[in-house]
Amino acid sequence: MKRKYGMYFSDFMKAVRTGKNVTLEQLGWGICSVSMMNRIEEGMRLPEKMTRDRLLERLGVTNDGYEDYLQPDEYARWTTRQDLLFAIENDEPDRAWRMIRQYEENARSGNAIESQFYLAMKVQLMRRQEAMEEELRTVLQRAIACTMPEYHMRQWKKCLLSGQEWNLLLEFIRSGGDVGQIAESGWRDSYKAMAYEALLEAVQESGMDIYSRARIGSKAAYYLCAELMKKPGEVWDCERLFHISASAVEVLRSTERMYYLSELLEIEEQALVLLSREFGTVPGSIRELLSTLEQVREWRKVLSQVYRDGGVPERMENDCYLYWQTQNYCYGDVVRKRRKMLGMSVEELCAGICEKRTVQRLESKKSNTQIEIIGELLERLGLSCEYARESVITDRYEAIVLYDEAVSAFVSRMDTDALSRILPRLREMLPMELTINRQQMGFLETLYLYHLKRIEKKECVERLKRILEYTVPLKCIKQDEESYLTCGEMEYLCNIAMKSEGQEKKMYINLLLSACRQLVKDNGIKAYIDTYETFMSNIASFLGDEGEFERSNEISDEIMQECLSMRRMNMLMRCIYNKWWNQRECSADSASIEEKICTEHELQKCIQLARLCKSLIREEFYQNKLKNLQAQ
């Protein structure tokens, strides 16, 4: 029998699994027995965080941008893993090795996925120390065996693997590992190249979501091209190199990510240069080819400048990006901060649920607490006790897909025709008795009506306030006081702030700024980058409007550096534009010709980045700004 407050991981997993026609045996292969998978799906067993994440990653559900509440022991292990990633990224090998040795000395038996993580980190450090390939293969085989009892390529098309598991296979091939006989006659390429290509094809056909494919597919494409280019330049198959690199770049553009983007663009440029020489005499073919080459060169130039200005290495140096996780919280922190924000005493919170000392121990993170008790406490605090990987709660896969379509329609060009069809269907599909669903649907419908100009800005703000207060009274959100807001609540607050006017706008901006700063206080910006980049870029824009140019620029630089480090490109153009606007306002009366050229150059960067992100709205906006500047 299911527990009342079981976080419903089982329902979500089952919805995605059945929606994608995946069997329990496929999903749990190498991780859990079929009988254990049945118990998990029936809600009789809630697996550890790393197992939950791995099962959903195998289903193509990424671990970015959603809130995950953890018991103290799981939260402590998560922060330790994040610290190890920081040590590797910040080039602190001695500290990283100490952490790995400490794990190996104290490792708990049976946690295969965690063991696999530490072995993968060991491989990265060994590569940095230029370890022998044989040593690397030995460690990689141990890592692979943790969750993959069979790793030969004859198994790949049947496998359901996460990006991290595909990466271990990729590194095994790189280290000279044998992944079985390749069904290919003629041996036109090296064994490594053929193995990379087989792996890339398997990833593309695996059913992963586009974000997961962007992570591992871009790396596989780069490794494949790099191997093919070991041949003398005069025998390169340039059309093949162009197709592989360009296809990977398109996935990165669609997801607004930059994993191996500079490397792939460089390969694309080299292939195009050679193709232009080869096809230069073919009527009609050279014009399009040269246009593509010019665009690739522009993107490469802009990316190099942005990386250099941000002080972040342009080329990928490690695999940490595959393991970073965002939005993880400890139950105790959430309960304590939310209770204080609502002005609720411990006695008021626990009345009729548990003893006072249970809440006190939960908030002090001294021990794990029964999930049923946590569920009731969260509900009393206005928080959802259901397991979610979206901003809505559902156990229907078609509703998950429809919600993603709705978000896409909002983000792209506010496709009102699509939204007029999607939103009513989505409301019918979702269980509207759940507060989080009523809240999110109200939010989407309000923005839709505002965009159609069926409601004025003032009414839009009032509606958004009421929507936020489904779960938290506005009067309880106070500046510089410890608080906890969900991502959804912060999004509603941000929209209230940006659509308000005068002193009210300034008040809400300050509340949002305080919430963002508190959010990253414990674990840093990286742990909350999805939330931070969106809301803080709006705050930077507001501060610029208020004439606080220095503060605005500092925030923009901070966002850009973290986004570059995390290989996220959407907010780069907004930050560059914020700084451009600030500079324009500072020197509006005394701008020299040189300064005008410089500001035009910054707008050109925004245009190229918008084009790289496939953001037609932003590109048109920056183009118009450039035209107005040139007309002055």
Side-chain angles (χ1 to χ4, degrees):
M1 183 176 177
K2 282 190 180 180
R3 297 168 296 190
K4 184 179 178 184
Y5 297 106
M7 304 299 108
Y8 306 112
F9 167 79
S10 56
D11 293 333
F12 184 82
M13 186 185 80
K14 185 175 182 179
V16 180
R17 182 186 68 78
T18 55
K20 293 193 171 186
N21 296 315
V22 172
T23 67
L24 283 173
E25 185 177 14
Q26 283 178 294
L27 180 56
W29 180 73
I31 298 175
C32 300
S33 66
V34 175
S35 61
M36 179 58 74
M37 289 298 298
N38 268 306
R39 291 183 67 195
I40 291 171
E41 193 159 278
E42 289 301 314
M44 297 168 65
R45 174 73 180 270
L46 183 65
E48 292 181 306
K49 171 181 170 56
M50 294 196 81
T51 303
R52 296 196 301 269
D53 289 344
R54 178 58 58 85
L55 292 173
L56 291 185
E57 285 163 9
R58 283 187 170 190
L59 287 170
V61 180
T62 55
N63 59 13
D64 284 343
Y66 73 96
E67 289 133 325
D68 200 357
Y69 302 148
L70 307 174
Q71 295 276 17
D73 58 347
E74 286 196 326
Y75 183 74
R77 293 200 298 275
W78 173 75
T79 55
T80 299
R81 293 193 297 272
Q82 298 294 104
D83 287 344
L84 177 53
L85 292 169
F86 270 113
I88 292 173
E89 280 215 335
N90 294 334
D91 197 16
E92 301 175 33
D94 292 341
R95 186 163 79 94
W97 275 118
R98 281 197 302 272
M99 295 176 74
I100 289 173
R101 283 193 292 268
Q102 185 175 359
Y103 170 79
E104 290 174 336
E105 290 170 5
N106 304 317
R108 299 172 306 131
S109 60
N111 196 338
I113 299 172
E114 190 169 59
S115 296
Q116 189 178 70
F117 166 80
Y118 279 94
L119 288 168
M121 296 304 104
K122 181 182 279 192
V123 168
Q124 295 197 67
L125 292 170
M126 289 172 68
R127 283 209 184 280
R128 185 164 295 191
Q129 294 177 344
E130 299 182 350
M132 300 291 289
E133 285 195 343
E134 185 178 352
E135 295 176 280
L136 289 166
R137 286 198 301 272
T138 299
V139 179
L140 283 162
Q141 281 178 312
R142 285 175 56 203
I144 289 167
C146 290
T147 61
M148 291 175 274
E150 171 65 75
Y151 60 80
H152 285 194
M153 67 177 66
R154 63 173 174 268
Q155 187 74 25
W156 291 356
K157 295 295 176 72
K158 307 172 191 175
C159 283
L160 207 63
L161 300 177
S162 68
Q164 295 165 5
E165 289 169 307
W166 284 118
N167 184 61
L168 290 172
L169 292 171
L170 197 61
E171 289 299 318
F172 184 61
I173 296 166
R174 179 186 175 189
S175 301
D178 183 354
V179 291
Q181 186 175 356
I182 300 171
E184 179 76 28
S185 60
W187 288 81
R188 58 175 179 167
D189 300 318
S190 68
Y191 179 84
K192 280 187 181 181
M194 290 188 290
Y196 288 148
E197 190 161 38
L199 189 146
L200 180 58
E201 288 175 2
V203 166
Q204 291 168 340
E205 296 171 9
S206 66
M208 280 182 170
D209 73 345
I210 192 168
Y211 289 94
S212 299
R213 282 191 285 117
R215 284 180 169 190
I216 191 61
S218 59
K219 181 176 179 179
Y222 170 66
Y223 275 22
L224 171 57
C225 289
E227 184 65 25
L228 293 173
M229 293 169 74
K230 288 180 179 178
K231 296 178 181 179
E234 60 269 17
V235 297
W236 284 358
D237 186 340
C238 294
E239 287 190 72
R240 185 181 175 199
L241 288 170
F242 172 73
H243 173 74
I244 295 166
S245 56
S247 296
V249 167
E250 280 304 297
V251 174
L252 292 171
R253 292 180 64 200
S254 297
T255 55
E256 299 172 348
R257 297 293 185 265
M258 298 188 291
Y259 316 122
Y260 292 92
L261 178 58
S262 293
E263 292 91 331
L264 288 164
L265 285 172
E266 181 181 0
I267 291 167
E268 198 173 341
E269 180 183 351
Q270 289 177 282
L272 284 166
V273 167
L274 292 175
L275 284 171
S276 65
R277 296 171 184 168
E278 183 178 346
F279 296 119
T281 58
V282 180
S285 66
I286 190 65
R287 186 178 301 168
E288 183 178 349
L289 193 150
L290 290 176
S291 175
T292 304
L293 176 59
E294 182 181 3
Q295 179 61 85
V296 168
R297 282 174 167 164
E298 283 295 319
W299 285 337
R300 284 198 66 202
K301 182 171 71 175
V302 167
L303 286 175
S304 292
Q305 291 172 346
V306 173
Y307 274 112
R308 185 169 59 251
D309 293 344
V312 176
E314 183 174 356
R315 302 183 80 82
M316 298 292 288
E317 296 185 328
N318 54 62
D319 296 334
C320 292
Y321 75 100
L322 289 163
Y323 295 90
W324 281 116
Q325 291 189 324
T326 62
Q327 308 293 127
N328 286 263
Y329 306 86
C330 186
Y331 280 121
D333 291 333
V334 171
V335 169
R336 185 189 73 255
K337 292 178 181 180
R338 187 75 164 198
R339 177 181 63 76
K340 290 183 176 180
M341 183 181 77
L342 296 176
M344 193 181 292
S345 68
V346 173
E347 290 83 359
E348 288 172 316
L349 176 59
C350 69
I353 298 175
C354 61
E355 295 182 2
K356 179 180 177 179
R357 64 181 180 182
T358 301
V359 172
Q360 291 172 331
R361 289 181 68 83
L362 171 64
E363 292 188 356
S364 63
K365 299 186 282 190
K366 288 183 178 178
S367 62
N368 290 357
T369 304
Q370 291 180 27
I371 206 72
E372 292 86 355
I373 292 175
I374 291 175
E376 293 193 56
L377 294 174
L378 291 179
E379 190 172 54
R380 184 165 288 178
L381 292 167
L383 296 169
S384 174
C385 56
E386 289 86 4
Y387 183 86
R389 286 272 182 139
E390 300 282 2
S391 297
V392 292
I393 302 293
T394 179
D395 59 1
R396 298 176 62 181
Y397 182 66
E398 57 267 38
I400 296 171
V401 173
L402 197 62
Y403 176 75
D404 288 340
E405 289 177 8
V407 171
S408 179
F410 271 102
V411 171
S412 57
R413 267 185 173 273
M414 186 59 83
D415 189 341
T416 53
D417 290 338
L419 288 169
S420 66
R421 296 189 304 271
I422 293 171
L423 292 180
R425 287 177 57 207
L426 192 55
R427 180 172 275 276
E428 288 178 7
M429 283 188 186
L430 294 173
M432 298 306 293
E433 68 274 12
L434 297 177
T435 303
I436 190 173
N437 289 343
R438 293 198 303 276
Q439 199 172 39
Q440 188 64 7
M441 283 305 303
F443 174 64
L444 296 179
E445 289 163 350
T446 296
L447 293 187
Y448 171 67
L449 292 173
Y450 175 70
H451 184 79
L452 290 178
K453 299 183 179 178
R454 293 182 188 171
I455 59 174
E456 298 295 326
K457 184 182 285 188
K458 186 175 180 180
E459 183 180 350
C460 179
V461 169
E462 290 306 311
R463 286 191 181 206
L464 291 171
K465 288 179 183 178
R466 290 197 295 271
I467 288 166
L468 174 59
E469 291 192 328
Y470 283 178
T471 51
V472 58
L474 258 170
K475 66 181 181 182
C476 292
I477 307 172
K478 297 176 183 177
Q479 189 176 348
D480 299 326
E481 289 191 12
E482 193 172 46
S483 64
Y484 173 76
L485 296 172
T486 67
C487 292
E489 289 166 345
M490 290 187 71
E491 187 173 13
Y492 310 146
L493 181 60
C494 182
N495 275 270
I496 291 168
M498 301 315 293
K499 291 176 174 58
S500 296
E501 295 178 352
Q503 286 302 309
E504 190 177 47
K505 183 184 185 80
K506 191 168 187 176
M507 177 186 72
Y508 290 126
I509 284 288
N510 285 331
L511 289 179
L512 187 65
L513 177 58
S514 177
C516 286
R517 290 301 191 194
Q518 286 184 54
L519 189 67
V520 302
K521 188 176 179 181
D522 294 333
N523 295 311
I525 295 173
K526 268 187 171 63
Y528 307 100
I529 186 66
D530 309 82
T531 301
Y532 195 86
E533 66 175 4
T534 302
F535 302 141
M536 290 300 286
S537 62
N538 281 305
I539 290 170
S541 176
F542 169 78
L543 291 173
D545 291 340
E546 292 291 296
E548 297 186 48
F549 304 126
E550 189 173 342
R551 264 186 94 198
S552 175
N553 286 340
E554 285 174 1
I555 291 171
S556 295
D557 286 336
E558 191 176 60
I559 296 169
M560 285 182 66
Q561 187 173 43
E562 293 298 336
C563 285
L564 287 168
S565 174
M566 299 288 280
R567 308 291 164 169
R568 302 165 69 93
M569 65 175 148
N570 180 41
M571 289 298 157
L572 296 178
M573 55 187 160
R574 292 190 64 179
C575 292
I576 292 171
Y577 177 77
N578 280 343
K579 294 181 67 176
W580 171 84
W581 195 91
N582 292 341
Q583 179 62 30
R584 280 266 298 161
E585 290 298 299
C586 285
S587 59
D589 297 329
S590 59
S592 64
I593 295 175
E594 290 78 11
E595 287 173 329
K596 183 177 179 181
I597 293 171
C598 181
T599 56
E600 285 184 13
H601 178 68
E602 292 303 291
L603 278 179
Q604 290 285 7
K605 285 201 291 191
C606 293
I607 291 167
Q608 291 300 331
L609 288 168
R611 194 173 294 165
L612 191 55
C613 291
K614 297 186 177 181
S615 178
L616 295 175
I617 295 177
R618 302 302 298 180
E619 184 180 347
E620 288 174 7
F621 175 81
Y622 300 134
Q623 290 278 16
N624 289 333
K625 289 291 181 181
L626 182 60
K627 288 177 184 176
N628 292 338
L629 180 66
Q630 291 172 337
Q632 293 174 6

